[in-house]
Amino acid sequence: MVIGDSISAAYGMDLEQGWVALWTNSLDDSTEVINASISGETTSGGLTRLPNLLDRHQPILVVIELGGNDGLRGYPLPRMRANLEQMIQLSIEAGAQVAMVPMQIPPNYGPAYTRQFSAVYGELAEQYNIVLTPFFLADVALQSNLMQSDGIHPTADAQPIMLDALREALTHALERAKDKPL
């Protein structure tokens, strides 16, 4: 199950063109991927929705791709971190492995906030021994031909590049989830 924001909800394109659908199509038929991503989602919204999603879908893997909207809105980092931490804990308690997709924010928020924002993901991944993927917009975000006119959302052409950045880490996370004793 992927719980994310507009980047994972395939904003501005058909859902089938997004990285989550491309990933799903690359997996064997026995693996179902639920895309529980919503455009505009924050860590607070994700945390609110997560218990119901865990109950309903009982995933073996939860991929968390949240925080970008928190950062763009200048939300307090301790609150963002606490929300992500609770999401990790809830997922683990529900028996799921967790992978986290780190986000980055533009430098205009100041070097301290930007640095501390980015550090949250690595710190939580280490603390909970979860899979931390690479930043999947690294090869996309600064290429105007791969970004929509808003400069925030990737195009359909960017989605395979984003998936390629995630594939190894997600494969590892999925293998961990499938190997986990019941």
Side-chain angles (χ1 to χ4, degrees):
M1 179 173 73
V2 178
I3 183 163
D5 55 27
S6 58
I7 305 296
S8 294
Y11 176 85
M13 67 192 80
D14 291 335
L15 197 56
E16 297 80 30
Q17 295 176 296
W19 77 264
V20 177
L22 296 177
W23 180 44
T24 302
N25 293 338
S26 73
L27 300 171
D28 64 59
D29 290 340
S30 69
T31 305
E32 178 186 8
V33 178
I34 305 297
N35 190 350
S37 302
I38 298 176
S39 291
E41 187 72 284
T42 62
T43 58
S44 294
L47 176 58
T48 299
R49 291 187 312 115
L50 185 60
N52 185 358
L53 291 167
L54 291 170
D55 257 4
R56 187 169 10 143
H57 299 293
Q58 300 178 357
I60 61 169
L61 173 64
V62 175
V63 179
I64 301 170
E65 182 271 308
L66 288 171
N69 288 313
D70 296 57
L72 292 174
R73 295 173 186 169
Y75 284 177
L77 293 177
R79 182 169 85 185
M80 182 186 93
R81 180 191 174 95
N83 290 339
L84 288 170
E85 186 168 16
Q86 284 183 284
M87 292 179 74
I88 293 166
Q89 290 171 344
L90 286 169
S91 298
I92 291 170
E93 288 167 10
Q97 291 287 324
V98 178
M100 192 161 30
V101 180
M103 296 305 296
Q104 294 180 7
I105 56 171
N108 58 313
Y109 287 82
Y113 186 87
T114 303
R115 187 175 48 257
Q116 291 168 7
F117 177 91
S118 294
V120 165
Y121 296 96
E123 291 166 0
L124 288 172
E126 186 175 329
Q127 180 179 346
Y128 287 94
N129 190 30
I130 62 172
V131 172
L132 180 66
T133 74
F135 176 56
F136 69 154
L137 297 175
D139 293 330
V140 170
L142 299 178
Q143 296 190 43
S144 60
N145 63 318
L146 295 176
M147 297 299 288
Q148 295 180 38
S149 60
D150 63 11
I152 296 172
H153 298 96
T155 64
D157 288 341
Q159 302 300 309
I161 298 166
M162 294 161 52
L163 177 57
D164 284 346
L166 295 174
R167 191 178 307 276
E168 185 177 337
L170 291 180
T171 298
H172 175 67
L174 195 52
E175 287 169 355
R176 280 176 67 171
K178 287 182 176 182
D179 289 343
K180 184 178 174 190
L182 298 175

